[in-house]
DNA sequence: GACTCGTGGGT
DNA sequence: TACCCAAGAGT
């Protein structure tokens, strides 16, 4: 990036950067554990959604050794509602690897970070640059949008990904790559937004090819998406003596490793009653799940959770909504 | 490279 | 309403 534009970007960042719980204040040294935790939470997830989870995790598990010592089920439950639950399992695996094999010290090179569970190209680069001051090429969706506009890249995503990476590499300074990356991300988040970008406030508008053409909203070009199929399913609310039957879902697949209501196969041979349905939208399909409710006269050796404390079970959102319906059915009965 | 994998907010 | 989007990773 031309020196003038780079300086303008960094000056803008120095004044207008977001204050975030995981960001070191001026003069503070960034904590690799907190940087790593925030980066994993922020994968495909908004800052607003992450904030309360980050506060809860760092209060409960202040250091990587604390997280490594936690039962996986506790971490999964604490992650409930944040989505993409493979991240939570990888989070525990990564913490245990760092605490157990690396003396509790996060690696400071991209290659070594990349070898940790749940740490891909973006996250390894972000940690190396932000936590350790390394030069690394940090490309997230914000940077892709900003760079695609700066250079008016006509090639569509995701095919353009390597080109955008190379362009970002050329822009990234030898020193201060962490601030550069965070400046680009804040720019994308607050000014160079997907719709109605605020070019009048943009510190690098002068070098923006898309802006020069008045076509900033046309970038990044994206490949058309597939239609989202609609599916249907059944969940079961089976209660006995103030408890409801839950299951631990298999580690692989949708909502893997999470507690949930039984689905597909009825957990008991009892007369089931319809209790409505819940519509829920996942990334790649929309689901309508019916809820069948019943009372059991006995308690098998599965998981039975006290209904009064169902909100503490750590159910993913779909099942939390179904459980709310089940509780309502119970109150009405 | 295509596909899977959540959720909530904005428009 | 329906669609878009988000500090992506793993298979």
């Amino acid at each position: 990036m031309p020196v003038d534009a780079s300086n303008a970007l960094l000056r803008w960042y120095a004044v207008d950067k977001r204050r975030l719980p995981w960001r070191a204040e001026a003069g503070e040294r960034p904590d690799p554990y907190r940087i790593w935790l925030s980066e994993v939470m922020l994968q495909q997830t908004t800052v607003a959604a992450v904030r309360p989870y980050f506060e809860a995790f760092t209060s409960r598990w202040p250091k990587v050794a604390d997280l490594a010592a936690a039962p996986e089920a506790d971490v999964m439950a604490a992650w409930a509602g944040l989505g993409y639950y493979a991240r939570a399992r990888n989070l525990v695996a990564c913490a245990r690897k760092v605490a157990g094999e690396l003396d509790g010290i996060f690696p400071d090179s991209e290659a070594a970070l990349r070898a940790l569970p749940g740490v891909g190209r973006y996250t390894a680069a972000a940690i190396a640059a932000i936590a350790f001051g390394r030069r690394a090429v940090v490309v997230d969706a914000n940077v892709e949008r900003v760079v695609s506009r700066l250079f008016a890249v006509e090639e569509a995503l995701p095919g353009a990904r390597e080109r955008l990476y190379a362009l970002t590499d050329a822009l990234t300074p030898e020193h201060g790559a962490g601030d550069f990356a965070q400046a680009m991300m804040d720019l994308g988040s607050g000014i160079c937004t997907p719709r109605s970008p605020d070019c009048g406030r943009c510190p690098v508008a002068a070098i923006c090819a898309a802006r020069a053409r008045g076509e900033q909203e046309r970038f990044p070009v994206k490949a058309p998406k597939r239609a989202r199929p609609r599916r249907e399913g059944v969940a079961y609310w089976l209660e006995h003596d103030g408890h409801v039957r839950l299951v631990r879902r298999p580690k692989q697949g949708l909502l893997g490793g999470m507690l949930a209501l039984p689905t597909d196969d009825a957990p008991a041979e009892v007369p089931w009653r319809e209790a409505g349905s819940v519509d829920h939208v996942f990334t790649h399909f929309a689901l309508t799940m019916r809820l069948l409710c019943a009372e059991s006269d006995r308690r098998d050796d599965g998981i039975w959770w006290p209904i009064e404390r169902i909100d503490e079970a750590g159910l993913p959102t779909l099942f939390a909504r179904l459980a709310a319906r089940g509780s309502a059915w119970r109150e009405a009965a």
Side-chain angles (χ1 to χ4, degrees):
Chain A
M1 186 177 292
V3 166
D4 289 355
S6 180
N7 287 342
L9 174 65
L10 294 174
R11 272 201 308 277
W12 169 81
Y13 177 68
V15 175
D16 281 359
K17 67 179 168 188
R18 290 175 290 179
R19 302 191 57 171
L20 302 170
W22 45 88
R23 236 175 219 181
E25 297 291 328
E28 284 182 359
R29 189 176 301 275
D31 178 350
Y33 169 64
R34 294 166 65 89
I35 300 300
W36 161 73
L37 177 61
S38 69
E39 290 299 343
V40 173
M41 287 184 164
L42 286 161
Q43 289 165 6
Q44 292 290 286
T45 308
T46 58
V47 166
V50 164
R51 272 183 188 276
Y53 286 86
F54 182 83
E55 301 289 2
F57 270 63
T58 52
S59 295
R60 188 169 175 184
W61 301 297
K63 299 190 302 180
V64 66
D66 304 319
L67 188 57
E72 183 177 271
D74 288 5
V75 179
M76 301 301 289
W79 197 276
L82 199 53
Y84 287 140
Y85 298 98
R87 293 185 294 172
R89 274 200 313 286
N90 286 329
L91 195 76
V92 174
C94 182
R96 290 179 179 169
K97 189 165 180 177
V98 170
E101 300 174 20
L102 303 175
D103 297 325
I105 299 171
F106 278 87
D108 64 354
S109 74
E110 273 188 88
L113 286 162
R114 183 74 181 72
L116 297 172
V119 178
R121 176 151 85 159
Y122 162 78
T123 303
I127 297 172
I130 297 170
F132 297 112
R134 297 292 197 100
R135 183 186 183 280
V137 181
V138 181
V139 186
D140 74 329
N142 288 303
V143 175
E144 285 183 345
R145 184 171 56 257
V146 171
V147 173
S148 73
R149 287 172 177 169
L150 288 179
F151 295 93
V153 174
E154 296 288 353
E155 185 183 356
L157 287 170
R161 206 141 270 158
E162 285 310 309
R163 184 186 307 276
L164 292 170
Y165 184 93
L167 289 168
T168 307
D169 192 356
L171 295 177
T172 302
E174 285 303 317
H175 300 286
D179 275 354
F180 173 79
Q182 293 177 93
M184 291 284 277
M185 291 191 281
D186 277 19
L187 186 66
S189 172
I191 291 180
C192 195
T193 49
R195 284 178 294 265
S196 305
D198 192 358
C199 300
R201 290 179 49 223
C202 178
V204 293
I207 64 161
C208 182
R211 167 64 168 168
R213 302 180 191 177
E215 295 185 333
Q216 54 272 21
E217 286 205 62
R218 193 162 66 76
F219 301 96
V221 181
K222 295 194 173 184
K225 310 192 174 197
R226 294 185 309 171
R228 177 156 37 213
R230 177 168 294 283
R231 300 184 195 169
E232 300 186 353
V234 184
Y236 298 91
W237 175 270
L238 180 65
E239 60 176 86
H240 172 75
D241 191 23
H243 290 64
V244 62
R245 181 78 157 84
L246 298 182
V247 296
R248 176 77 61 187
R249 292 175 64 84
K251 289 182 185 293
Q252 303 285 339
L254 192 72
L255 308 174
M258 299 298 287
L259 279 181
L261 297 177
T263 56
D264 306 322
D265 296 315
E269 293 189 19
V270 293
W272 295 98
R273 295 177 179 277
E274 294 275 354
S277 64
V278 165
D279 290 312
H280 194 75
V281 180
F282 295 99
T283 301
H284 51 296
F285 68 96
L287 176 66
T288 297
M289 186 156 269
R290 292 163 49 218
L291 183 66
L292 300 182
C293 299
E295 188 104 33
S296 176
D297 59 1
R298 58 177 149 170
R299 173 171 171 161
D300 65 23
D301 57 2
I303 303 169
W304 292 86
W305 197 275
I307 296 171
E308 299 296 339
R309 296 191 296 138
I310 191 63
D311 56 322
E312 300 170 24
L315 299 176
T317 300
L318 166 65
F319 289 102
R321 295 174 62 195
L322 287 161
R325 272 197 168 275
S327 296
W329 171 82
R330 176 201 189 203
E331 310 266 335

